[in-house]
Amino acid sequence: MPNRTIAKFSTFVILAVASVVLGACGHTLSGGSGSTAIDGGESPFSPSGQVGTLESAFIKESSGLIVSKCQPNVFWTHNDSGDDAFIYAFADDGRHLGTWRVSGARNIDWEDMASTKDADGCRLYIGDIGSYGKKRGQGTVYRVKEPVTTPESIDYDKNNPLTTEAAEVLHFTYESKYDAETLAVNPKTGDIYVISKRKDGPAAVYKMQPLFGNQPVRAERVAELSVPGVPEGLITGGDISSDGTRIVLCDYVAGYELTLPAGS
């Protein structure tokens, strides 16, 4: 079985400090120590380097990835399509910390994760937003209270998982059919964003209020987004900073940090 590695990508290391981790961003941010960023400035991000190897043999295609805002040195991931509704906790060196089945959820094509923290604690968001081999006109976001890792939880894996509290479910629709791999939540407003993955033009940015329940929500198209890459809209991951002022996105080549407009 091939090694499952965690790379010390600049998105992973730098933004983990700010409680932001990008799933599916398997490349360094443009630039590096002593190098030039895309905009011509000095890049603040360090070069990449491996820090650990994922211990769990059940993480075969880590897709979403997030750092806990409530537990030190705890990270969460899930597999892409082909797995059941499991989330996996691990430490920054890859040590297994536990496996949970997300109660009330299905994994059709999970692609990304996000997290928020408020007075009631931390919650994890899971985006079932992938295409599953074709473009879809709808998707699902699950929201669940973040489980607490313990010395005992390391004994639980996919064959003997723990179970989360019941997930809240938000079904949504687009005005057209899209593939998407990026889920982000504004930590100030709770608004949920899904960014499409597009090969032939700018990515579409969709916004939803967190209206979890049985009634489907119509995602509002609020912007188009291009990065200085080719293709310009092939966005594969992203997250919003804890203070709500910045977003980092990535494609298959690089990462991009953007400052968000005031009030967005």
Side-chain angles (χ1 to χ4, degrees), residues 178-182 195-205 224-237 249-252 256:
Y178 288 97
D179 183 15
E181 295 187 2
T182 304
I195 302 175
S196 71
K197 177 184 177 185
R198 188 176 176 188
K199 298 179 180 179
D200 57 353
V205 181
E224 288 190 338
L225 176 66
S226 296
V227 297
V230 180
E232 61 182 312
L234 201 66
I235 309 300
T236 59
L249 304 167
C250 66
D251 55 20
Y252 289 113
Y256 313 90

PDB file of all heavy atoms in Angstrom, residues 178-182 195-205 224-237 249-252 256:
ATOM      1  N   TYR A 178     -22.984  21.965 -12.139  1.00  0.00           N
ATOM      2  CA  TYR A 178     -21.590  22.279 -11.912  1.00  0.00           C
ATOM      3  C   TYR A 178     -20.872  21.138 -11.217  1.00  0.00           C
ATOM      4  O   TYR A 178     -21.481  20.309 -10.548  1.00  0.00           O
ATOM      5  CB  TYR A 178     -21.453  23.536 -11.038  1.00  0.00           C
ATOM      6  CG  TYR A 178     -21.815  24.818 -11.742  1.00  0.00           C
ATOM      7  CD1 TYR A 178     -23.083  25.364 -11.598  1.00  0.00           C
ATOM      8  CD2 TYR A 178     -20.897  25.473 -12.542  1.00  0.00           C
ATOM      9  CE1 TYR A 178     -23.424  26.539 -12.239  1.00  0.00           C
ATOM     10  CE2 TYR A 178     -21.229  26.649 -13.196  1.00  0.00           C
ATOM     11  CZ  TYR A 178     -22.489  27.182 -13.034  1.00  0.00           C
ATOM     12  OH  TYR A 178     -22.829  28.343 -13.678  1.00  0.00           O
ATOM     13  N   ASP A 179     -19.555  21.137 -11.368  1.00  0.00           N
ATOM     14  CA  ASP A 179     -18.669  20.370 -10.516  1.00  0.00           C
ATOM     15  C   ASP A 179     -18.037  21.365  -9.553  1.00  0.00           C
ATOM     16  O   ASP A 179     -17.750  22.495  -9.920  1.00  0.00           O
ATOM     17  CB  ASP A 179     -17.588  19.690 -11.356  1.00  0.00           C
ATOM     18  CG  ASP A 179     -16.666  18.812 -10.517  1.00  0.00           C
ATOM     19  OD1 ASP A 179     -17.024  18.507  -9.366  1.00  0.00           O
ATOM     20  OD2 ASP A 179     -15.586  18.445 -11.016  1.00  0.00           O
ATOM     21  N   ALA A 180     -17.846  20.975  -8.305  1.00  0.00           N
ATOM     22  CA  ALA A 180     -17.250  21.877  -7.324  1.00  0.00           C
ATOM     23  C   ALA A 180     -16.428  21.076  -6.326  1.00  0.00           C
ATOM     24  O   ALA A 180     -16.759  19.932  -6.003  1.00  0.00           O
ATOM     25  CB  ALA A 180     -18.328  22.678  -6.586  1.00  0.00           C
ATOM     26  N   GLU A 181     -15.344  21.699  -5.831  1.00  0.00           N
ATOM     27  CA  GLU A 181     -14.492  21.054  -4.842  1.00  0.00           C
ATOM     28  C   GLU A 181     -14.146  21.986  -3.688  1.00  0.00           C
ATOM     29  O   GLU A 181     -13.326  21.631  -2.843  1.00  0.00           O
ATOM     30  CB  GLU A 181     -13.200  20.542  -5.501  1.00  0.00           C
ATOM     31  CG  GLU A 181     -13.432  19.433  -6.514  1.00  0.00           C
ATOM     32  CD  GLU A 181     -12.147  18.809  -7.029  1.00  0.00           C
ATOM     33  OE1 GLU A 181     -11.050  19.222  -6.571  1.00  0.00           O
ATOM     34  OE2 GLU A 181     -12.225  17.918  -7.894  1.00  0.00           O
ATOM     35  N   THR A 182     -14.765  23.168  -3.644  1.00  0.00           N
ATOM     36  CA  THR A 182     -14.409  24.147  -2.622  1.00  0.00           C
ATOM     37  C   THR A 182     -15.633  24.562  -1.814  1.00  0.00           C
ATOM     38  O   THR A 182     -16.626  25.027  -2.364  1.00  0.00           O
ATOM     39  CB  THR A 182     -13.784  25.408  -3.255  1.00  0.00           C
ATOM     40  OG1 THR A 182     -12.652  25.014  -4.035  1.00  0.00           O
ATOM     41  CG2 THR A 182     -13.349  26.398  -2.197  1.00  0.00           C
ATOM     42  N   ILE A 195     -17.599  27.098  -4.512  1.00  0.00           N
ATOM     43  CA  ILE A 195     -16.930  27.616  -5.707  1.00  0.00           C
ATOM     44  C   ILE A 195     -16.777  26.488  -6.705  1.00  0.00           C
ATOM     45  O   ILE A 195     -16.242  25.419  -6.381  1.00  0.00           O
ATOM     46  CB  ILE A 195     -15.560  28.231  -5.358  1.00  0.00           C
ATOM     47  CG1 ILE A 195     -15.741  29.351  -4.321  1.00  0.00           C
ATOM     48  CG2 ILE A 195     -14.869  28.765  -6.610  1.00  0.00           C
ATOM     49  CD1 ILE A 195     -14.434  29.938  -3.831  1.00  0.00           C
ATOM     50  N   SER A 196     -17.248  26.719  -7.908  1.00  0.00           N
ATOM     51  CA  SER A 196     -17.229  25.670  -8.926  1.00  0.00           C
ATOM     52  C   SER A 196     -15.808  25.424  -9.431  1.00  0.00           C
ATOM     53  O   SER A 196     -14.908  26.253  -9.272  1.00  0.00           O
ATOM     54  CB  SER A 196     -18.138  26.042 -10.096  1.00  0.00           C
ATOM     55  OG  SER A 196     -17.578  27.114 -10.845  1.00  0.00           O
ATOM     56  N   LYS A 197     -15.623  24.285 -10.033  1.00  0.00           N
ATOM     57  CA  LYS A 197     -14.356  23.895 -10.667  1.00  0.00           C
ATOM     58  C   LYS A 197     -14.609  23.858 -12.173  1.00  0.00           C
ATOM     59  O   LYS A 197     -15.359  23.015 -12.662  1.00  0.00           O
ATOM     60  CB  LYS A 197     -13.934  22.521 -10.149  1.00  0.00           C
ATOM     61  CG  LYS A 197     -12.668  21.961 -10.783  1.00  0.00           C
ATOM     62  CD  LYS A 197     -12.421  20.557 -10.253  1.00  0.00           C
ATOM     63  CE  LYS A 197     -11.222  19.913 -10.900  1.00  0.00           C
ATOM     64  NZ  LYS A 197     -11.043  18.502 -10.463  1.00  0.00           N
ATOM     65  N   ARG A 198     -13.985  24.784 -12.897  1.00  0.00           N
ATOM     66  CA  ARG A 198     -14.307  24.964 -14.304  1.00  0.00           C
ATOM     67  C   ARG A 198     -13.047  24.987 -15.158  1.00  0.00           C
ATOM     68  O   ARG A 198     -12.074  25.672 -14.825  1.00  0.00           O
ATOM     69  CB  ARG A 198     -15.087  26.264 -14.490  1.00  0.00           C
ATOM     70  CG  ARG A 198     -15.641  26.478 -15.882  1.00  0.00           C
ATOM     71  CD  ARG A 198     -16.465  27.740 -15.939  1.00  0.00           C
ATOM     72  NE  ARG A 198     -16.928  28.031 -17.294  1.00  0.00           N
ATOM     73  CZ  ARG A 198     -17.528  29.149 -17.642  1.00  0.00           C
ATOM     74  NH1 ARG A 198     -17.756  30.101 -16.738  1.00  0.00           N
ATOM     75  NH2 ARG A 198     -17.911  29.344 -18.893  1.00  0.00           N
ATOM     76  N   LYS A 199     -13.066  24.262 -16.258  1.00  0.00           N
ATOM     77  CA  LYS A 199     -11.911  24.176 -17.147  1.00  0.00           C
ATOM     78  C   LYS A 199     -11.926  25.214 -18.260  1.00  0.00           C
ATOM     79  O   LYS A 199     -10.890  25.478 -18.877  1.00  0.00           O
ATOM     80  CB  LYS A 199     -11.838  22.778 -17.775  1.00  0.00           C
ATOM     81  CG  LYS A 199     -11.646  21.642 -16.789  1.00  0.00           C
ATOM     82  CD  LYS A 199     -11.614  20.312 -17.509  1.00  0.00           C
ATOM     83  CE  LYS A 199     -11.426  19.160 -16.525  1.00  0.00           C
ATOM     84  NZ  LYS A 199     -11.422  17.836 -17.216  1.00  0.00           N
ATOM     85  N   ASP A 200     -13.095  25.800 -18.543  1.00  0.00           N
ATOM     86  CA  ASP A 200     -13.224  26.625 -19.740  1.00  0.00           C
ATOM     87  C   ASP A 200     -13.635  28.059 -19.435  1.00  0.00           C
ATOM     88  O   ASP A 200     -14.302  28.707 -20.243  1.00  0.00           O
ATOM     89  CB  ASP A 200     -14.221  26.002 -20.710  1.00  0.00           C
ATOM     90  CG  ASP A 200     -15.589  25.782 -20.084  1.00  0.00           C
ATOM     91  OD1 ASP A 200     -15.722  25.985 -18.864  1.00  0.00           O
ATOM     92  OD2 ASP A 200     -16.520  25.402 -20.819  1.00  0.00           O
ATOM     93  N   GLY A 201     -13.261  28.578 -18.272  1.00  0.00           N
ATOM     94  CA  GLY A 201     -13.612  29.954 -17.938  1.00  0.00           C
ATOM     95  C   GLY A 201     -13.508  30.191 -16.450  1.00  0.00           C
ATOM     96  O   GLY A 201     -13.034  29.335 -15.687  1.00  0.00           O
ATOM     97  N   PRO A 202     -13.939  31.350 -15.980  1.00  0.00           N
ATOM     98  CA  PRO A 202     -13.881  31.660 -14.552  1.00  0.00           C
ATOM     99  C   PRO A 202     -14.756  30.723 -13.731  1.00  0.00           C
ATOM    100  O   PRO A 202     -15.775  30.211 -14.206  1.00  0.00           O
ATOM    101  CB  PRO A 202     -14.403  33.106 -14.487  1.00  0.00           C
ATOM    102  CG  PRO A 202     -14.302  33.638 -15.874  1.00  0.00           C
ATOM    103  CD  PRO A 202     -14.484  32.466 -16.782  1.00  0.00           C
ATOM    104  N   ALA A 203     -14.352  30.509 -12.505  1.00  0.00           N
ATOM    105  CA  ALA A 203     -15.164  29.733 -11.574  1.00  0.00           C
ATOM    106  C   ALA A 203     -16.353  30.555 -11.111  1.00  0.00           C
ATOM    107  O   ALA A 203     -16.281  31.787 -11.030  1.00  0.00           O
ATOM    108  CB  ALA A 203     -14.330  29.301 -10.381  1.00  0.00           C
ATOM    109  N   ALA A 204     -17.457  29.888 -10.812  1.00  0.00           N
ATOM    110  CA  ALA A 204     -18.639  30.561 -10.285  1.00  0.00           C
ATOM    111  C   ALA A 204     -18.641  30.465  -8.763  1.00  0.00           C
ATOM    112  O   ALA A 204     -18.316  29.422  -8.192  1.00  0.00           O
ATOM    113  CB  ALA A 204     -19.904  29.927 -10.849  1.00  0.00           C
ATOM    114  N   VAL A 205     -18.986  31.575  -8.105  1.00  0.00           N
ATOM    115  CA  VAL A 205     -19.048  31.620  -6.647  1.00  0.00           C
ATOM    116  C   VAL A 205     -20.515  31.667  -6.232  1.00  0.00           C
ATOM    117  O   VAL A 205     -21.265  32.566  -6.643  1.00  0.00           O
ATOM    118  CB  VAL A 205     -18.310  32.849  -6.096  1.00  0.00           C
ATOM    119  CG1 VAL A 205     -18.376  32.860  -4.564  1.00  0.00           C
ATOM    120  CG2 VAL A 205     -16.856  32.861  -6.565  1.00  0.00           C
ATOM    121  N   GLU A 224     -17.963  35.775 -10.214  1.00  0.00           N
ATOM    122  CA  GLU A 224     -17.086  34.894 -10.968  1.00  0.00           C
ATOM    123  C   GLU A 224     -15.669  35.124 -10.474  1.00  0.00           C
ATOM    124  O   GLU A 224     -15.328  36.219 -10.008  1.00  0.00           O
ATOM    125  CB  GLU A 224     -17.175  35.151 -12.470  1.00  0.00           C
ATOM    126  CG  GLU A 224     -18.474  34.682 -13.085  1.00  0.00           C
ATOM    127  CD  GLU A 224     -18.440  34.733 -14.605  1.00  0.00           C
ATOM    128  OE1 GLU A 224     -17.600  35.495 -15.163  1.00  0.00           O
ATOM    129  OE2 GLU A 224     -19.234  34.024 -15.241  1.00  0.00           O
ATOM    130  N   LEU A 225     -14.852  34.091 -10.563  1.00  0.00           N
ATOM    131  CA  LEU A 225     -13.520  34.156  -9.981  1.00  0.00           C
ATOM    132  C   LEU A 225     -12.497  33.554 -10.934  1.00  0.00           C
ATOM    133  O   LEU A 225     -12.670  32.437 -11.423  1.00  0.00           O
ATOM    134  CB  LEU A 225     -13.500  33.388  -8.655  1.00  0.00           C
ATOM    135  CG  LEU A 225     -12.172  33.267  -7.933  1.00  0.00           C
ATOM    136  CD1 LEU A 225     -11.693  34.635  -7.465  1.00  0.00           C
ATOM    137  CD2 LEU A 225     -12.301  32.315  -6.752  1.00  0.00           C
ATOM    138  N   SER A 226     -11.449  34.329 -11.196  1.00  0.00           N
ATOM    139  CA  SER A 226     -10.335  33.849 -12.007  1.00  0.00           C
ATOM    140  C   SER A 226      -9.047  33.970 -11.208  1.00  0.00           C
ATOM    141  O   SER A 226      -8.843  34.954 -10.497  1.00  0.00           O
ATOM    142  CB  SER A 226     -10.201  34.661 -13.301  1.00  0.00           C
ATOM    143  OG  SER A 226     -11.332  34.509 -14.121  1.00  0.00           O
ATOM    144  N   VAL A 227      -8.199  32.969 -11.305  1.00  0.00           N
ATOM    145  CA  VAL A 227      -6.871  33.032 -10.699  1.00  0.00           C
ATOM    146  C   VAL A 227      -5.844  33.109 -11.816  1.00  0.00           C
ATOM    147  O   VAL A 227      -6.143  32.757 -12.969  1.00  0.00           O
ATOM    148  CB  VAL A 227      -6.610  31.799  -9.804  1.00  0.00           C
ATOM    149  CG1 VAL A 227      -7.589  31.769  -8.647  1.00  0.00           C
ATOM    150  CG2 VAL A 227      -6.683  30.507 -10.609  1.00  0.00           C
ATOM    151  N   PRO A 228      -4.637  33.584 -11.519  1.00  0.00           N
ATOM    152  CA  PRO A 228      -3.617  33.706 -12.567  1.00  0.00           C
ATOM    153  C   PRO A 228      -2.976  32.374 -12.913  1.00  0.00           C
ATOM    154  O   PRO A 228      -1.775  32.158 -12.776  1.00  0.00           O
ATOM    155  CB  PRO A 228      -2.605  34.681 -11.959  1.00  0.00           C
ATOM    156  CG  PRO A 228      -2.759  34.515 -10.495  1.00  0.00           C
ATOM    157  CD  PRO A 228      -4.203  34.216 -10.261  1.00  0.00           C
ATOM    158  N   GLY A 229      -3.822  31.430 -13.310  1.00  0.00           N
ATOM    159  CA  GLY A 229      -3.347  30.118 -13.704  1.00  0.00           C
ATOM    160  C   GLY A 229      -4.061  29.686 -14.967  1.00  0.00           C
ATOM    161  O   GLY A 229      -4.934  30.383 -15.482  1.00  0.00           O
ATOM    162  N   VAL A 230      -3.687  28.539 -15.499  1.00  0.00           N
ATOM    163  CA  VAL A 230      -4.316  27.990 -16.697  1.00  0.00           C
ATOM    164  C   VAL A 230      -4.703  26.545 -16.394  1.00  0.00           C
ATOM    165  O   VAL A 230      -3.829  25.711 -16.121  1.00  0.00           O
ATOM    166  CB  VAL A 230      -3.364  28.041 -17.907  1.00  0.00           C
ATOM    167  CG1 VAL A 230      -4.050  27.452 -19.140  1.00  0.00           C
ATOM    168  CG2 VAL A 230      -2.912  29.467 -18.188  1.00  0.00           C
ATOM    169  N   PRO A 231      -6.023  26.235 -16.389  1.00  0.00           N
ATOM    170  CA  PRO A 231      -7.174  27.120 -16.616  1.00  0.00           C
ATOM    171  C   PRO A 231      -7.380  28.089 -15.442  1.00  0.00           C
ATOM    172  O   PRO A 231      -6.945  27.817 -14.332  1.00  0.00           O
ATOM    173  CB  PRO A 231      -8.353  26.160 -16.748  1.00  0.00           C
ATOM    174  CG  PRO A 231      -7.748  24.814 -16.981  1.00  0.00           C
ATOM    175  CD  PRO A 231      -6.449  24.829 -16.265  1.00  0.00           C
ATOM    176  N   GLU A 232      -8.111  29.156 -15.706  1.00  0.00           N
ATOM    177  CA  GLU A 232      -8.274  30.214 -14.717  1.00  0.00           C
ATOM    178  C   GLU A 232      -9.298  29.901 -13.634  1.00  0.00           C
ATOM    179  O   GLU A 232      -9.316  30.555 -12.583  1.00  0.00           O
ATOM    180  CB  GLU A 232      -8.681  31.513 -15.410  1.00  0.00           C
ATOM    181  CG  GLU A 232     -10.014  31.407 -16.164  1.00  0.00           C
ATOM    182  CD  GLU A 232     -10.373  32.691 -16.897  1.00  0.00           C
ATOM    183  OE1 GLU A 232     -10.296  33.757 -16.274  1.00  0.00           O
ATOM    184  OE2 GLU A 232     -10.720  32.607 -18.096  1.00  0.00           O
ATOM    185  N   GLY A 233     -10.175  28.920 -13.887  1.00  0.00           N
ATOM    186  CA  GLY A 233     -11.245  28.624 -12.930  1.00  0.00           C
ATOM    187  C   GLY A 233     -11.206  27.231 -12.357  1.00  0.00           C
ATOM    188  O   GLY A 233     -12.204  26.756 -11.804  1.00  0.00           O
ATOM    189  N   LEU A 234     -10.062  26.550 -12.441  1.00  0.00           N
ATOM    190  CA  LEU A 234      -9.974  25.158 -11.989  1.00  0.00           C
ATOM    191  C   LEU A 234      -9.635  25.119 -10.498  1.00  0.00           C
ATOM    192  O   LEU A 234      -8.569  24.664 -10.086  1.00  0.00           O
ATOM    193  CB  LEU A 234      -8.920  24.411 -12.801  1.00  0.00           C
ATOM    194  CG  LEU A 234      -9.025  22.882 -12.819  1.00  0.00           C
ATOM    195  CD1 LEU A 234     -10.293  22.438 -13.547  1.00  0.00           C
ATOM    196  CD2 LEU A 234      -7.803  22.270 -13.482  1.00  0.00           C
ATOM    197  N   ILE A 235     -10.548  25.609  -9.677  1.00  0.00           N
ATOM    198  CA  ILE A 235     -10.327  25.735  -8.240  1.00  0.00           C
ATOM    199  C   ILE A 235     -10.607  24.407  -7.550  1.00  0.00           C
ATOM    200  O   ILE A 235     -11.672  23.810  -7.731  1.00  0.00           O
ATOM    201  CB  ILE A 235     -11.224  26.835  -7.640  1.00  0.00           C
ATOM    202  CG1 ILE A 235     -11.083  28.139  -8.436  1.00  0.00           C
ATOM    203  CG2 ILE A 235     -10.887  27.055  -6.176  1.00  0.00           C
ATOM    204  CD1 ILE A 235      -9.691  28.705  -8.475  1.00  0.00           C
ATOM    205  N   THR A 236      -9.650  23.947  -6.740  1.00  0.00           N
ATOM    206  CA  THR A 236      -9.767  22.625  -6.119  1.00  0.00           C
ATOM    207  C   THR A 236      -9.839  22.654  -4.595  1.00  0.00           C
ATOM    208  O   THR A 236      -9.937  21.603  -3.972  1.00  0.00           O
ATOM    209  CB  THR A 236      -8.582  21.738  -6.524  1.00  0.00           C
ATOM    210  OG1 THR A 236      -7.362  22.362  -6.104  1.00  0.00           O
ATOM    211  CG2 THR A 236      -8.549  21.526  -8.038  1.00  0.00           C
ATOM    212  N   GLY A 237      -9.788  23.825  -3.980  1.00  0.00           N
ATOM    213  CA  GLY A 237      -9.887  23.895  -2.532  1.00  0.00           C
ATOM    214  C   GLY A 237      -9.769  25.324  -2.055  1.00  0.00           C
ATOM    215  O   GLY A 237      -9.315  26.200  -2.796  1.00  0.00           O
ATOM    216  N   LEU A 249      -7.208  30.134  -1.956  1.00  0.00           N
ATOM    217  CA  LEU A 249      -7.712  29.159  -2.918  1.00  0.00           C
ATOM    218  C   LEU A 249      -6.545  28.431  -3.543  1.00  0.00           C
ATOM    219  O   LEU A 249      -5.409  28.928  -3.527  1.00  0.00           O
ATOM    220  CB  LEU A 249      -8.525  29.852  -4.011  1.00  0.00           C
ATOM    221  CG  LEU A 249      -9.704  30.702  -3.547  1.00  0.00           C
ATOM    222  CD1 LEU A 249     -10.215  31.566  -4.696  1.00  0.00           C
ATOM    223  CD2 LEU A 249     -10.816  29.821  -3.000  1.00  0.00           C
ATOM    224  N   CYS A 250      -6.802  27.285  -4.113  1.00  0.00           N
ATOM    225  CA  CYS A 250      -5.740  26.594  -4.831  1.00  0.00           C
ATOM    226  C   CYS A 250      -6.301  25.900  -6.059  1.00  0.00           C
ATOM    227  O   CYS A 250      -7.507  25.626  -6.164  1.00  0.00           O
ATOM    228  CB  CYS A 250      -5.030  25.588  -3.935  1.00  0.00           C
ATOM    229  SG  CYS A 250      -6.057  24.199  -3.419  1.00  0.00           S
ATOM    230  N   ASP A 251      -5.399  25.669  -7.015  1.00  0.00           N
ATOM    231  CA  ASP A 251      -5.694  24.806  -8.147  1.00  0.00           C
ATOM    232  C   ASP A 251      -4.659  23.684  -8.120  1.00  0.00           C
ATOM    233  O   ASP A 251      -4.075  23.406  -7.074  1.00  0.00           O
ATOM    234  CB  ASP A 251      -5.705  25.591  -9.465  1.00  0.00           C
ATOM    235  CG  ASP A 251      -4.415  26.368  -9.711  1.00  0.00           C
ATOM    236  OD1 ASP A 251      -3.372  26.014  -9.089  1.00  0.00           O
ATOM    237  OD2 ASP A 251      -4.434  27.313 -10.519  1.00  0.00           O
ATOM    238  N   TYR A 252      -4.397  23.052  -9.247  1.00  0.00           N
ATOM    239  CA  TYR A 252      -3.441  21.948  -9.260  1.00  0.00           C
ATOM    240  C   TYR A 252      -1.993  22.427  -9.306  1.00  0.00           C
ATOM    241  O   TYR A 252      -1.071  21.605  -9.223  1.00  0.00           O
ATOM    242  CB  TYR A 252      -3.712  21.037 -10.453  1.00  0.00           C
ATOM    243  CG  TYR A 252      -4.977  20.225 -10.327  1.00  0.00           C
ATOM    244  CD1 TYR A 252      -6.061  20.450 -11.173  1.00  0.00           C
ATOM    245  CD2 TYR A 252      -5.096  19.232  -9.356  1.00  0.00           C
ATOM    246  CE1 TYR A 252      -7.228  19.720 -11.053  1.00  0.00           C
ATOM    247  CE2 TYR A 252      -6.259  18.488  -9.233  1.00  0.00           C
ATOM    248  CZ  TYR A 252      -7.320  18.727 -10.089  1.00  0.00           C
ATOM    249  OH  TYR A 252      -8.469  17.994  -9.968  1.00  0.00           O
ATOM    250  N   TYR A 256      -3.409  30.730  -3.864  1.00  0.00           N
ATOM    251  CA  TYR A 256      -3.623  32.154  -4.082  1.00  0.00           C
ATOM    252  C   TYR A 256      -4.336  32.744  -2.876  1.00  0.00           C
ATOM    253  O   TYR A 256      -5.386  32.254  -2.465  1.00  0.00           O
ATOM    254  CB  TYR A 256      -4.470  32.382  -5.342  1.00  0.00           C
ATOM    255  CG  TYR A 256      -4.002  31.588  -6.538  1.00  0.00           C
ATOM    256  CD1 TYR A 256      -4.509  30.301  -6.777  1.00  0.00           C
ATOM    257  CD2 TYR A 256      -3.055  32.095  -7.409  1.00  0.00           C
ATOM    258  CE1 TYR A 256      -4.078  29.562  -7.867  1.00  0.00           C
ATOM    259  CE2 TYR A 256      -2.618  31.356  -8.505  1.00  0.00           C
ATOM    260  CZ  TYR A 256      -3.132  30.097  -8.730  1.00  0.00           C
ATOM    261  OH  TYR A 256      -2.699  29.357  -9.813  1.00  0.00           O
TER     262      TYR A 256
END
